Amino acid sequence: MHKSQYQFIKAIAGALLVVLALPFTSFGQVGVTGSQLHKIQESFLQGEIDVETAALEQVRLLYATGGLGEQSKVLHKCATPATMFVYNFRDQISSSALAKIEAYQNPPRSASKSLTTQTYISPSGKFEIEYETSGPDSVSVVDDDENGVPDYVDLVAESADSSYRHEVLRLGFKDPIPAGSTYRIVLENLSFYGETRTTGSFPQTYIRLENDFKNFPENSHPEGDEVGAVYVTVAHEFKHAIQYAQNRWAAPSGALNWAEMDATLFEEVVYDDVNDYYNYIKTGFGASTPYSSSIFFAPQNGTPGAYYHVSWMIFYSEVFGDDIWQEVWALIEEDNFLSIDDALRQVLPGRGTDFPITFVQNHLWHFASGSRIGLDDYGFAEKSEYPFSNVDTMFNTVPLQKKEVNTIRPLAARYFEVYPSSGDNGMIDIAVDFDSSQVGLGLLFYMKDGEMKERVATGEGKSQLYVPTDIAWENIDRLGVVIANYSGETSTRSLALAMGKNGNAITVRDPEYADLPKSFRVYQNYPNPFNPTTNIDFELPRSAFVELDVYDITGRKVQELTSRFYQLGSYSIPFNAQGLSSGIYFYRFQIDDAIFTKKMTLVK
C-alpha cells in the first residue's frame, strides 16, 4: 500500500468516533447531512466493503438522484471528500469502476445544453463562470444592474475574486491558478453546496457550485441566506483548490476531516458575517444546544472532525492571526504526510508558545462559550452565539475524594465544573494522576468580581500533574476544569482528579514539587537576639493566606509584615526594628486557620 493511502486510511480511523455520533439534521425544508460519506468510508476501513465499492457508493450517493428537484431531498455539505477518496485510491479502482464514476460525475451533455452554456470572466480576470439560463441547471436570469449578466453570476464572480484576494494575495497561500490561465467555476443544480474537482492536469482543479441555493440552511448574511451561501461555498471550495495545489490532497491533512475543517475555517476568514458554520456546531442556526458531533457536545471524541470541529481552528486564528495557517500549510507542502496538528507543533514555538499549552487553552475557550461565558472578553469573539459545552461531571461542592476520569483519546479532552459551597474555603490547588504518558490541565476561574482567570499546565513522563494557585475558593463563583490529551497518537489513561481546600489537602506526588514542605512550619527568627534587622522563615505545604504581625510584650501590635496569599513553598520575611526600643517581642503567624507564635529579642 502506498504511504499516501495508508495515511488516508489512518485519517479515516481518527474520524470514526465523530462519525458514530452524526445524526441526520433537518434545517427547514431541506435535510442537511455530512454523515453518509463518513459512514461509507468507515465501512471501507472496517473491511465491510472494498475500496471500489466505497468509491462507487459515495459517488452514487451524491449524483444518482440529480439536483434538488424535491423539497425532501437530502442535501450534502461538500462533495469534495468523495473526490479526494477516489483521487487517493485511483490506482486500486478498476478501469470499469472509474468509468462508472466518471459517468455519474460527468453525464453526457445534450446538444441543446452545449449551445446554451454561457461564460463570464470575473472582474479580476482570474475566474471563468459557466452557467445556463434555461433548463434544470439554469440560474435566475434577474439582471437588476443591467450589465447583461445574471445577478447570480455576478455574485459568484465577486465571491471568487474576494476569496482569491483573501486567501492568495493577503494571506499568501499558494496560487492554484496557473499563470496565464483562468479558474473555471461551473454552476449546476446539485445535491450539495459545492465540489472541487481535479482536471487531470496538476495543479489545476475546477469548482462545481449550486445554481441557486434556494431552501438551503439559514445564515446571518445581511443580504439573505442565498447570498451568504454563495459567498462561503466559494471561499470553502477555493480553499480545497489551494489544498490540492499544495499537497495533492495527501492524507492526513488532505483527508476528509482536516481538509473540511480547514476549508470551513476559510468561510469564516473570508466572510465573517455569514456564519453558516453555526449550523454544524449547534442543533440549529439559532439554537443554544451543541450539535452532537461538535467539540462542544463531545470534547472526549477528539479532533479532527470536519465541519463540526471548525471552532478548534477558529481558536488559532483568533489568538495568532489567520496568517498562522499559511505557515502551517507551507510545512505541509514540504512534507505531504504532515498532519495539521503536527505542523502547528513546529510553528507555535516561533509564536512564543507550544502546542500542548494552546491545545488546553483551546478547550478552555470551548468551555467558556454559550451559557458559560463570563463578564469580560475571555474566549471566542462570537462566544455568545456558540452553544454551551457538555461536562463530564458538575460538582455542587468541592469533592473530598478523587474523581476517577475515563481514558482520554488523542487530541481530546474532558470537562468538569465546580460550584464551591459556603463551607469551601482556602487556596485552590488541583492535581491529576495519570499513566505517565501526557496530560494537560486547564483551570478557568469565574471570579466574583466578574473577571475570568486562566491557569494552564502540562506534564509528561510522570504520574501526577500538580497545579497550586493563589486563588481562594471563597473568591470564585465557579471553576471550570479541562483535562486534555494533546498527543495525536496515544491515549491518556489511569486518570484521577483531586481538588484541595482547607481541611482536605492533596497528597502531592508531582516530582516538580518533591522538595517542597510536607507541613506548615514556622522557624525561629535569625539572628536572635538581633539589632535592628532579622529574618523570619516559614514553609507552606500548599497555597495559603498568610498574616504575620509583630507585638510588644504588652500585646500591642507594632508592625504588620505581610497579609496576602502565598503559593506552596519556602519563604523568608525581613523585619526591621529600627524605630523600636530594646526588649522582647512576639511574631504571630495566621496561616489559614492555624496560628503560630514565637518570641524574639531586640538588643540595641
Side-chain angles (χ1 to χ4, degrees):
M1 180 182 295
H2 191 272
K3 183 178 180 182
S4 64
Q5 294 167 345
Y6 168 77
Q7 291 286 356
F8 199 94
I9 291 172
K10 185 178 177 183
I12 298 171
L16 292 188
L17 293 167
V18 174
V19 173
L20 293 174
L22 283 170
F24 170 86
T25 302
S26 178
F27 297 96
Q29 295 174 302
V30 179
V32 180
T33 180
S35 64
Q36 283 95 328
L37 295 180
H38 294 71
K39 289 178 178 177
I40 293 170
Q41 292 187 16
E42 174 195 351
S43 295
F44 161 67
L45 178 69
Q46 298 296 331
E48 297 168 1
I49 57 176
D50 60 29
V51 65
E52 192 165 290
T53 302
L56 284 166
E57 286 302 310
Q58 290 178 78
V59 173
R60 284 195 191 102
L61 180 70
L62 294 167
Y63 296 99
T65 54
L68 282 173
E70 306 85 26
Q71 296 299 308
S72 61
K73 190 177 298 297
V74 172
L75 172 66
H76 302 273
K77 170 66 174 169
C78 176
T80 305
T83 300
M84 291 174 171
F85 186 93
V86 173
Y87 179 82
N88 275 280
F89 291 100
R90 59 195 181 281
D91 61 345
Q92 294 186 36
I93 301 173
S94 68
S95 57
S96 60
L98 287 173
K100 290 180 182 178
I101 291 170
E102 175 67 19
Y104 274 122
Q105 293 180 326
N106 298 294
R109 294 166 63 89
S110 67
S112 60
K113 181 173 180 178
S114 298
L115 292 173
T116 59
T117 298
Q118 300 183 56
T119 61
Y120 172 66
I121 303 298
S122 70
S124 71
K126 290 287 185 181
F127 295 89
E128 181 180 66
I129 319 300
E130 290 185 15
Y131 64 97
E132 304 285 334
T133 55
S134 63
D137 292 324
S138 174
V139 300
S140 169
V141 296
V142 172
D143 182 19
D144 285 340
D145 62 2
E146 299 181 345
N147 68 342
V149 177
D151 293 341
Y152 188 84
V153 177
D154 283 329
L155 186 67
V156 172
E158 173 198 334
S159 59
D161 283 348
S162 179
S163 296
Y164 185 88
R165 285 194 303 272
H166 278 79
E167 298 180 28
V168 175
L169 300 182
R170 181 173 71 87
L171 293 175
F173 284 100
K174 186 168 186 174
D175 191 342
I177 307 176
S181 301
T182 54
Y183 192 92
R184 183 171 166 236
I185 299 178
V186 182
L187 309 184
E188 299 180 69
N189 186 24
L190 304 171
S191 62
F192 43 84
Y193 281 65
E195 176 190 22
T196 304
R197 298 282 308 280
T198 59
T199 64
S201 177
F202 181 81
Q204 288 180 301
T205 53
Y206 71 96
I207 291 171
R208 301 177 70 210
L209 193 74
E210 168 61 26
N211 67 332
D212 61 16
F213 285 104
K214 291 180 179 177
N215 302 310
F216 273 59
E218 182 181 358
N219 61 64
S220 61
H221 194 273
E223 296 179 45
D225 295 341
E226 293 178 34
V227 173
V230 169
Y231 283 164
V232 296
T233 305
V234 172
H236 182 112
E237 297 303 332
F238 192 65
K239 190 58 172 68
H240 280 320
I242 292 172
Q243 293 166 356
Y244 181 76
Q246 291 203 269
N247 83 330
R248 299 197 185 202
W249 292 335
S253 296
L256 187 154
N257 282 285
W258 281 123
E260 287 300 335
M261 281 175 66
D262 180 56
T264 306
L265 168 70
F266 277 84
E267 299 177 14
E268 178 74 352
V269 169
V270 181
Y271 292 107
D272 181 51
D273 58 352
V274 176
N275 299 314
D276 182 76
Y277 74 96
Y278 287 1
N279 291 306
Y280 307 102
I281 64 172
K282 302 193 285 186
T283 53
F285 185 83
S288 62
T289 50
Y291 187 59
S292 61
S293 298
S294 69
I295 292 174
F296 302 95
F297 185 90
Q300 70 273 15
N301 280 352
T303 295
Y307 330 101
Y308 318 99
H309 282 207
V310 63
S311 52
W312 190 91
M313 297 188 78
I314 288 174
F315 165 84
Y316 287 100
S317 277
E318 292 193 4
V319 173
F320 300 103
D322 298 325
D323 62 311
I324 193 171
W325 301 114
Q326 190 279 330
E327 291 186 58
V328 163
W329 276 94
L331 291 174
I332 293 170
E333 186 172 2
E334 293 176 4
D335 178 0
N336 279 189
F337 304 113
L338 194 66
S339 64
I340 284 179
D341 63 300
D342 282 338
L344 278 169
R345 293 174 204 273
Q346 297 184 37
V347 167
L348 287 168
R351 304 284 182 125
T353 185
D354 61 36
F355 181 77
I357 290 292
T358 60
F359 183 82
V360 179
Q361 291 172 323
N362 194 326
H363 278 279
L364 285 174
W365 277 34
H366 281 82
F367 182 94
S369 294
S371 59
R372 290 194 180 87
I373 63 173
L375 299 180
D376 62 11
D377 60 358
Y378 181 88
F380 290 108
E382 298 174 12
K383 58 184 178 290
S384 63
E385 300 297 328
Y386 285 3
F388 62 81
S389 287
N390 287 330
V391 299
D392 270 33
T393 306
M394 185 179 73
F395 300 96
N396 291 317
T397 187
V398 179
L400 298 177
Q401 305 298 322
K402 288 183 179 180
K403 168 66 178 176
E404 299 296 323
V405 178
N406 291 330
T407 294
I408 303 179
R409 300 179 178 96
L411 298 183
R414 293 186 179 276
Y415 300 172
F416 302 85
E417 190 169 27
V418 186
Y419 287 85
S421 65
S422 58
D424 293 325
N425 52 59
M427 306 302 293
I428 300 170
D429 56 344
I430 307 291
V432 176
D433 297 339
F434 65 110
D435 63 357
S436 301
S437 55
Q438 65 284 315
V439 75
L441 177 61
L443 305 177
L444 192 58
F445 304 92
Y446 291 75
M447 307 302 294
K448 287 188 174 179
D449 63 4
E451 184 183 3
M452 305 276 280
K453 293 185 177 181
E454 171 193 279
R455 297 285 189 278
V456 175
T458 60
E460 299 177 13
K462 56 184 181 180
S463 61
Q464 186 188 67
L465 176 64
Y466 175 68
V467 179
T469 80
D470 57 356
I471 297 174
W473 286 108
E474 54 265 38
N475 291 333
I476 68 169
D477 285 325
R478 56 178 156 165
L479 172 68
V481 179
V482 165
I483 304 176
N485 176 13
Y486 49 82
S487 169
E489 299 292 333
T490 60
S491 295
T492 304
R493 297 179 169 84
S494 305
L495 289 149
L497 172 64
M499 305 182 200
K501 63 176 181 176
N502 278 353
N504 189 50
I506 291 174
T507 300
V508 179
R509 296 183 293 102
D510 188 332
E512 185 175 339
Y513 296 91
D515 297 330
L516 291 175
K518 300 297 187 290
S519 62
F520 290 126
R521 296 196 65 179
V522 172
Y523 292 92
Q524 185 64 51
N525 66 299
Y526 66 93
N528 188 45
F530 66 97
N531 179 28
T533 60
T534 188
N535 296 288
I536 302 171
D537 294 354
F538 63 99
E539 295 179 350
L540 303 176
R542 59 179 173 81
S543 300
F545 190 86
V546 176
E547 295 178 272
L548 174 58
D549 300 309
V550 177
Y551 296 83
D552 65 18
I553 199 166
T554 69
R556 178 175 63 92
K557 184 165 74 172
V558 297
Q559 195 167 330
E560 178 184 290
L561 298 184
T562 191
S563 179
R564 67 177 180 86
F565 288 112
Y566 285 80
Q567 291 194 1
L568 77 172
S570 300
Y571 298 91
S572 181
I573 295 179
F575 169 49
N576 189 326
Q578 183 68 45
L580 300 177
S581 303
S582 296
I584 294 174
Y585 292 86
F586 299 90
Y587 56 95
R588 178 182 183 272
F589 277 95
Q590 180 162 349
I591 303 175
D592 286 340
D593 296 329
I595 295 175
F596 305 86
T597 303
K598 288 187 178 293
K599 182 173 66 173
M600 58 184 171
T601 303
L602 171 62
V603 177
K604 290 190 172 180

